[in-house]
Amino acid sequence: MENNHLPNYLEYRGKRTGLLGWLTTTDHKRIGLLYFYSMMTFFLTGAVLGILMRLELIAPGRQLVDAQTYNAFFTLHGLAMIFLFVIPGVGAVFGNFMLPIMLGAKDVAFPKVNLLSWYLYVLGAIIVLTSQFMGDGPPDTGWTFYAPYSLKTQTNVVAAVFGAFVLGFSSILTGLNFITTMHRMRAPGMGWKRMPMFAWTLYATGWIQLLATPIVGITLLMLAAERLLGIGFFDPAIGGDPILFQHLFWTYSHPAVYIMILPAMGVISEIIPTFSRKPLFGYTALIVSSMAIAFVGYFVWGHHMFTSGMSEGARWVFSFLSFIVAIPSAIKVFNWTATLYKGAINLQTPFWWAMAFIFVFMIGGFSGLVVGSLATDIHVHDTYFVVAHFHYIVFGGTGFAFFAAMHYWWPKIYGRMYNTKIANIGLLIFFTGFNMLYFPMFILGLMGMPRRYYDYLPQFQDGNVISTIGSWIMISGLIIIITNLIRAKKQTGKIVDNPWNGPTLEWSIQSPPTLENFEELPVVTHGPYEFK
Amino acid sequence: MNSNNQNMETAIHTHSDMHRDDTASKLGMWLFIFTEILLFGGLFIVYSVYRYMNPVAFHLAHEELSITMGLINTIILLISSATVAMSITAIQKGDKRLSLYMVGATILLALVFLINKYFEWGSKFEHGMYPGSDLMDMLSNGDMLFFSLYFFMTGLHGVHIIVGMVLLAVSWFKIKKDAVRSDKYALLENSGLYWHLVDLIWIFLFPLFYLIH
């Protein structure tokens, strides 16, 4: 430990020390790490289930598990990945850690509520996981809980639904906290137009969390009430309307996609200027596009239901709006590439991750237009094409940005640099595996292979074999990446305050930050991306 | 929910210049209220859809509800909104005694509301009308949806009444201990805001279930 460094937040000794010091902390940085460790656990659980599913699908017929177990696998894989990893994801981990520092604040507006959010997250996760082992067997509905099957199945749906409800509560409180923080805690001189893009995307995300999550909350409560009390909300046999369930579910769950992707876009918007040594191109346009995505994102949910039974007028409008929402996403990609133009590009690991993000995100985005148009959706709906599309967007988008953020901020969080060479090799293997895993699914989908099926016809086998091999390559890359980062955390290498010459406030303080981030409150005199 | 966060002195990490920010607490409460409105908003949509699908059944079923009971509860909640507003004005003017009385009166009115509700629900239960009962299963689809929504929505509203009562009770004790006082009343104000929300929701529930034609 160098002498000119003050004790950092990791070394800080409060009233309580050790594990208890972490579990009772209200420090936004420690809470960010609590989210990080719990989230990585669930992410790896989900990944193992994914690998097992891929292994099962390597050939037609039974390989590993029976059909019912397979159904439970994809349900838990979806629940863990969606509700426990990508929805809180970038925001809860890096938002918690970086947002107050980027604003020049010492913490979020409500530190205790922040800790409560994490406890609710863990409680929700525990409920979701116990639903696997209690009652009449693990839920087999998929993460979407579609009625009426979710009302009829004998499995333990109520617990999973209740867990998702609690997780929604956690998500709402995080959003509420971040919005208030940005309204009230900005340092002197930090006007709205001087906030880093990552903060802006968290702001847009916060509003979606607040205004969309309650809808799924109440829907899941209705579903639970229907199962427990026999109230006929969604069961057509007693007057309910299962399509209404889908409407309510997607009213949240489509905006939830933007809860996942917006902070991810924020991360990329931080990385690209830092490694191009240029201000972010079209800063205002990026703010407007973030808010536009949040706003228009509310009105496109119907595109999940083109084949469920909707009037032609409604389908037309939902399809049109889905194309509209692609515009702000495209604005972002154009602005990122324009930032690169004539930049002094520094080819470091986070930059490579950002580039990989843009590549897979564009494949995901364009395939989104395919499923967003009415005629083609009829053909590819509920096929592997959709599976490929959303893994390119959700994993390729949010997941890649999560890893990009890890590599960008790791030296700030732990004060240690990782081995960049191994990190780059890990990324290359991971990226190759990722594309090998998911790209064949586009083709399988176009050939007509339905999603969520346990078995398939022999003509689909080639694609499935490639895909399964891809999953092995990807997981090898993942292991390299994670071990490399963990090793960096343990080794006592050189402490680096600002290894990338980052322009935003978090790079102006020591690594790892002190408990209060800033010894004296910074006064901000210029925008976020000014390079000298 | 987040209203007593000014209480930073109890935070584990005592940040040296952590100051109270009443505007932030109030903003937080408003944001939380938005989520509550959306929560009930989902139910209002479900109500609208099923009423549109079963107009006659909903009309006939609503006649089973007692307008008098609903009206009394509406009046109770309106008065309670006034008393909670008065308690805030009283504490702003430094009148602790009056503020305590007014918060007490609000809690009391909330209790009367719940008692009223208990009898209202009770009489339905006596007739064998409750979610999951044999009678409910025998009803037509439209009737069953009406009563299901009635129990679900007024039940959820009742839960909110209880949460509001807890917030007000906490405020009462804090006023008593001078933790809420004329220069520091964000907690009471937030509890008041929450109480007005609970009120507002009832203002929509009352016509939807009791007064429809």
Side-chain angles (χ1 to χ4, degrees):
Chain A
M1 188 61 40
E2 288 175 25
N3 292 334
N4 57 352
H5 274 71
L6 294 159
N8 62 50
Y9 74 101
L10 295 165
E11 301 159 339
Y12 173 77
R13 300 249 176 278
K15 259 192 230 164
R16 299 181 180 84
T17 51
L19 188 62
L20 215 55
W22 280 82
L23 294 177
T24 58
T25 184
T26 52
D27 178 9
H28 66 100
K29 299 180 286 298
R30 286 192 173 199
I31 293 174
L33 290 187
L34 287 176
Y35 270 113
F36 181 51
Y37 301 140
S38 27
M39 218 171 268
M40 284 319 274
T41 317
F42 302 130
F43 169 69
L44 293 175
T45 314
V48 168
L49 288 169
I51 288 285
L52 291 176
M53 278 191 289
R54 275 315 327 161
L55 201 58
E56 170 57 46
L57 291 173
I58 198 166
R62 181 185 164 134
Q63 312 299 321
L64 199 66
V65 291
D66 59 27
Q68 183 62 25
T69 315
Y70 181 82
N71 292 348
F73 274 12
F74 75 65
T75 302
L76 185 60
H77 173 77
L79 286 172
M81 288 302 200
I82 299 276
F83 289 111
L84 301 177
F85 178 57
V86 286
I87 287 183
V90 178
V93 175
F94 301 103
N96 256 320
F97 200 104
M98 292 302 165
L99 176 68
I101 311 182
M102 284 181 153
L103 299 176
K106 300 195 168 185
D107 211 318
V108 292
F110 309 118
K112 280 190 274 181
V113 175
N114 204 15
L115 183 63
L116 175 68
S117 301
W118 180 73
Y119 274 104
L120 286 173
Y121 169 79
V122 172
L123 178 69
I126 290 172
I127 297 173
V128 168
L129 294 178
T130 38
S131 75
Q132 304 299 314
F133 306 108
M134 291 171 63
D136 305 313
D140 57 353
T141 58
W143 72 282
T144 47
F145 301 119
Y146 267 18
Y149 182 68
S150 56
L151 302 166
K152 307 264 180 228
T153 173
Q154 295 304 309
T155 56
N156 199 4
V157 171
V158 173
V161 159
F162 185 65
F165 179 81
V166 174
L167 289 168
F169 216 110
S170 159
S171 176
I172 285 174
L173 290 180
T174 303
L176 184 153
N177 219 337
F178 286 179
I179 290 179
T180 314
T181 306
M182 275 176 268
H183 274 279
R184 298 295 304 168
M185 309 274 287
R186 281 170 290 131
M190 171 70 77
W192 285 98
K193 292 284 300 276
R194 283 179 181 169
M195 286 202 315
M197 261 326 285
F198 184 51
W200 266 109
T201 53
L202 288 173
Y203 187 74
T205 307
W207 280 106
I208 310 177
Q209 285 171 308
L210 282 180
L211 299 182
T213 317
I215 304 284
V216 81
I218 197 66
T219 311
L220 295 178
L221 276 188
M222 282 190 267
L223 189 71
E226 180 150 2
R227 275 190 74 100
L228 294 172
L229 302 170
I231 293 177
F233 288 132
F234 303 122
D235 185 353
I238 41 180
D241 184 355
I243 303 291
L244 185 61
F245 176 86
Q246 294 187 20
H247 276 293
L248 290 168
F249 180 81
W250 289 113
T251 303
Y252 164 74
S253 298
H254 193 77
V257 174
Y258 300 110
I259 296 179
M260 304 166 195
I261 199 70
L262 274 168
M265 291 168 156
V267 169
I268 303 304
S269 306
E270 294 302 317
I271 291 174
I272 288 191
T274 300
F275 294 93
S276 312
R277 316 300 307 150
K278 259 186 75 193
L280 191 59
F281 183 86
Y283 173 74
T284 314
L286 282 168
I287 295 174
V288 173
S289 66
S290 298
M291 297 310 279
I293 287 176
F295 181 74
V296 184
Y298 280 108
F299 306 105
V300 301
W301 78 84
H303 67 213
H304 294 269
M305 303 166 55
F306 285 155
T307 60
S308 301
M310 252 198 296
S311 74
E312 202 190 342
R315 283 189 292 148
W316 186 88
V317 170
F318 277 126
S319 177
F320 178 72
L321 287 171
S322 305
F323 274 73
I324 295 288
V325 85
I327 294 172
S329 310
I331 288 176
K332 286 182 182 290
V333 175
F334 289 134
N335 280 335
W336 292 327
T337 25
T339 308
L340 299 175
Y341 181 65
K342 286 192 174 173
I345 291 172
N346 181 9
L347 292 175
Q348 299 279 358
T349 313
F351 182 81
W352 286 121
W353 273 102
M355 291 301 108
F357 168 93
I358 293 180
F359 181 83
V360 290
F361 179 72
M362 277 175 56
I363 295 180
F366 285 128
S367 60
L369 295 178
V370 176
V371 284
S373 24
L374 295 174
T376 44
D377 184 65
I378 302 294
H379 182 67
V380 295
H381 194 94
D382 266 341
T383 68
Y384 262 81
F385 191 89
V386 178
V387 180
H389 158 67
F390 77 66
H391 279 90
Y392 264 92
I393 283 285
V394 173
F395 192 5
T398 311
F400 272 50
F402 192 90
F403 283 100
M406 267 163 76
H407 286 91
Y408 183 51
W409 281 313
W410 197 268
K412 178 53 64 187
I413 294 173
Y414 295 107
R416 307 262 183 252
M417 188 48 120
Y418 46 85
N419 182 328
T420 49
K421 207 170 162 189
I422 298 180
N424 288 345
I425 294 169
L427 163 62
L428 187 66
I429 296 173
F430 184 81
F431 180 78
T432 315
F434 176 91
N435 286 293
M436 234 178 113
L437 166 55
Y438 296 115
F439 201 84
M441 291 186 186
F442 279 124
I443 297 155
L444 288 171
L446 287 174
M447 288 164 70
M449 178 171 162
R451 66 190 279 203
R452 285 184 171 174
Y453 279 32
Y454 169 67
D455 204 355
Y456 57 83
L457 297 171
Q459 66 257 40
F460 300 131
Q461 194 177 358
D462 292 348
N464 275 296
V465 170
I466 299 174
S467 179
T468 302
I469 295 171
S471 74
W472 301 336
I473 299 177
M474 191 179 80
I475 212 78
S476 327
L478 190 66
I479 292 167
I480 296 174
I481 290 163
I482 291 177
T483 0
N484 185 39
L485 288 173
I486 293 174
R487 273 183 60 225
K489 184 174 167 276
K490 280 187 180 156
Q491 78 192 14
T492 48
K494 199 169 159 250
I495 295 166
V496 276
D497 283 345
N498 189 0
W500 323 118
N501 290 317
T504 37
L505 276 177
E506 80 271 25
W507 299 110
S508 69
I509 58 172
Q510 77 166 43
S511 304
T514 57
L515 175 70
E516 304 209 328
N517 305 337
F518 301 94
E519 293 324 299
E520 47 191 284
L521 273 185
V523 176
V524 181
T525 54
H526 53 76
Y529 306 108
E530 290 197 5
F531 296 90
K532 303 232 165 54
Chain B
M1 190 96 259
N2 43 34
S3 41
N4 53 5
N5 281 294
Q6 314 87 336
N7 237 351
M8 288 305 170
E9 60 269 26
T10 58
I12 309 301
H13 298 301
T14 316
H15 291 205
S16 57
D17 64 343
M18 192 66 86
H19 59 280
R20 206 178 90 213
D21 186 351
D22 290 350
T23 315
S25 319
K26 230 161 92 179
L27 178 64
M29 195 42 149
W30 273 108
L31 296 175
F32 188 70
I33 283 174
F34 291 164
T35 72
E36 291 279 16
I37 290 174
L38 265 292
L39 187 80
F40 276 92
L43 284 170
F44 286 131
I45 289 173
V46 172
Y47 174 94
S48 321
V49 169
Y50 288 139
R51 189 176 161 202
Y52 176 77
M53 286 162 69
N54 312 282
V56 181
F58 268 48
H59 177 70
L60 293 176
H62 106 274
E63 289 177 353
E64 302 292 320
L65 301 180
S66 155
I67 296 185
T68 325
M69 290 287 244
L71 189 66
I72 292 172
N73 266 352
T74 309
I75 294 168
I76 289 172
L77 280 191
L78 285 177
I79 297 173
S80 77
S81 247
T83 53
V84 84
M86 283 186 233
S87 78
I88 296 167
T89 315
I91 203 77
Q92 284 170 334
K93 297 196 166 170
D95 193 339
K96 180 177 164 186
R97 232 170 72 94
L98 183 62
S99 188
L100 281 173
Y101 275 129
M102 284 301 148
V103 176
T106 314
I107 297 174
L108 209 66
L109 285 164
L111 201 65
V112 176
F113 177 95
L114 285 181
I115 292 168
N116 208 347
K117 197 91 239 161
Y118 170 78
F119 284 115
E120 205 186 346
W121 274 34
S123 75
K124 298 272 174 306
F125 281 39
E126 265 172 36
H127 291 97
M129 181 80 100
Y130 49 88
S133 71
D134 296 339
L135 181 63
M136 283 280 270
D137 285 344
M138 279 152 50
L139 292 177
S140 77
N141 289 346
D143 288 336
M144 174 162 169
L145 280 169
F146 181 87
F147 286 109
S148 297
L149 281 166
Y150 165 76
F151 282 117
F152 194 78
M153 289 171 85
T154 56
L156 192 64
H157 178 258
V159 172
H160 281 75
I161 292 267
I162 294 167
V163 173
M165 284 169 78
V166 171
L167 282 177
L168 288 168
V170 172
S171 306
W172 194 87
F173 283 107
K174 295 254 177 181
I175 299 172
K176 193 140 172 74
K177 285 195 298 185
D178 280 326
V180 168
R181 49 179 192 268
S182 63
D183 62 340
K184 188 184 172 202
Y185 51 84
L187 172 66
L188 179 61
E189 217 179 358
N190 277 343
S191 311
L193 272 176
Y194 190 82
W195 191 253
H196 290 313
L197 165 85
V198 173
D199 232 25
L200 182 75
I201 291 167
W202 179 258
I203 296 298
F204 284 92
L205 291 180
F206 176 56
L208 287 181
F209 284 108
Y210 294 82
L211 300 180
I212 50 169
H213 279 292

